[in-house]
Amino acid sequence: MGTRLNNIAKNIGMDCDAPIVSGSTGRGVLIPLSINPTLTKNAENPRIIEGVTIPEQAKVCAIDNEGTSPFEGTAVASNGDSGFVQYQKTVSLRIPMRGAGNSKDIVEPITKSGQGFIVILERRDKVGDGSFLVVGALQPLRANVDGITQSETENGGAVMATMSCVEQWFECTFFNKDYETTKTDFEALLAKAF
């Protein structure tokens, strides 16, 4: 019995040489499913998204939560009501643009989209797999009923969007070979953002 407990403790214990760094950088990319993105999943573990391809002229939305007060980031909660465990995922996003163009091209499509979205969020932990969180790869991420707000006195007047979905896996990540390659791929997606 003692050996089994020691093995479990080793698997859940923190690595002092490489501790987990909590939190998000605040940067991310919101990808509408209406542009038909293609996800390449890892053959051994489909929870890892190795690549995201979007059509040449398609646009995605940049997310910038840095400095947002408060920024709740993401939350995951298990739910067994359906007879098997699923995970309710909630994402809070700051859309760092304003104006009629922003309203037409970003905010209103978020609230009206029947197809939903995928979001990739950059974490502060720069270790590789786990450095970029993906939500909406299994079930579309959609705006909550009261999920779009704007206050001139908070968050620089930016639009805040709260979106959620229910997925059967606790966590999906964006990861290709190593941290540097994945970071380059993430930056390429952000370069297509407006």
Side-chain angles (χ1 to χ4, degrees), residues 6-118:
N6 286 338
N7 288 339
I8 292 171
K10 286 179 189 174
N11 287 331
I12 63 173
M14 292 183 66
D15 182 348
C16 294
D17 295 326
I20 293 174
V21 178
S22 65
S24 166
T25 66
R27 296 187 331 138
V29 59
L30 186 65
I31 304 168
L33 292 174
S34 61
I35 66 170
N36 297 315
T38 302
L39 304 182
T40 305
K41 298 179 181 177
N42 182 284
E44 294 178 15
N45 186 354
R47 292 163 185 80
I48 299 173
I49 309 301
E50 294 179 335
V52 178
T53 306
I54 63 174
E56 192 64 36
Q57 301 303 316
K59 290 288 185 183
V60 296
C61 178
I63 306 302
D64 180 9
N65 293 307
E66 192 166 10
T68 302
S69 175
F71 173 54
E72 299 298 330
T74 60
V76 180
S78 63
N79 182 340
D81 289 346
S82 61
F84 56 94
V85 175
Q86 294 183 313
Y87 301 95
Q88 173 79 35
K89 299 181 181 183
T90 305
V91 180
S92 297
L93 308 172
R94 177 177 179 256
I95 301 167
M97 294 179 276
R98 59 193 317 168
N102 177 44
S103 176
K104 175 183 174 284
D105 296 332
I106 301 172
V107 178
E108 292 168 26
I110 286 174
T111 58
K112 296 176 183 177
S113 174
Q115 291 178 294
F117 299 85
I118 296 171

Side-chain angles (χ1 to χ4, degrees), residues 54-182:
I54 63 174
E56 192 64 36
Q57 301 303 316
K59 290 288 185 183
V60 296
C61 178
I63 306 302
D64 180 9
N65 293 307
E66 192 166 10
T68 302
S69 175
F71 173 54
E72 299 298 330
T74 60
V76 180
S78 63
N79 182 340
D81 289 346
S82 61
F84 56 94
V85 175
Q86 294 183 313
Y87 301 95
Q88 173 79 35
K89 299 181 181 183
T90 305
V91 180
S92 297
L93 308 172
R94 177 177 179 256
I95 301 167
M97 294 179 276
R98 59 193 317 168
N102 177 44
S103 176
K104 175 183 174 284
D105 296 332
I106 301 172
V107 178
E108 292 168 26
I110 286 174
T111 58
K112 296 176 183 177
S113 174
Q115 291 178 294
F117 299 85
I118 296 171
V119 69
I120 301 174
L121 298 172
E122 181 182 44
R123 289 175 165 161
R124 294 190 189 281
D125 200 27
K126 296 173 172 48
V127 298
D129 181 19
S131 298
F132 295 89
L133 177 67
V134 178
V135 181
L138 304 174
Q139 295 294 323
L141 189 63
R142 292 192 172 95
N144 293 0
V145 174
D146 58 349
I148 304 290
T149 60
Q150 183 182 38
S151 170
E152 286 300 323
T153 60
E154 295 178 6
N155 303 309
V159 172
M160 296 299 295
T162 302
M163 306 176 80
S164 61
C165 65
V166 176
E167 297 184 314
Q168 66 265 34
W169 294 331
F170 182 75
E171 184 173 353
C172 289
T173 60
F174 182 55
F175 179 66
N176 183 8
K177 296 185 185 76
D178 54 40
Y179 175 77
E180 292 303 325
T181 303
T182 309

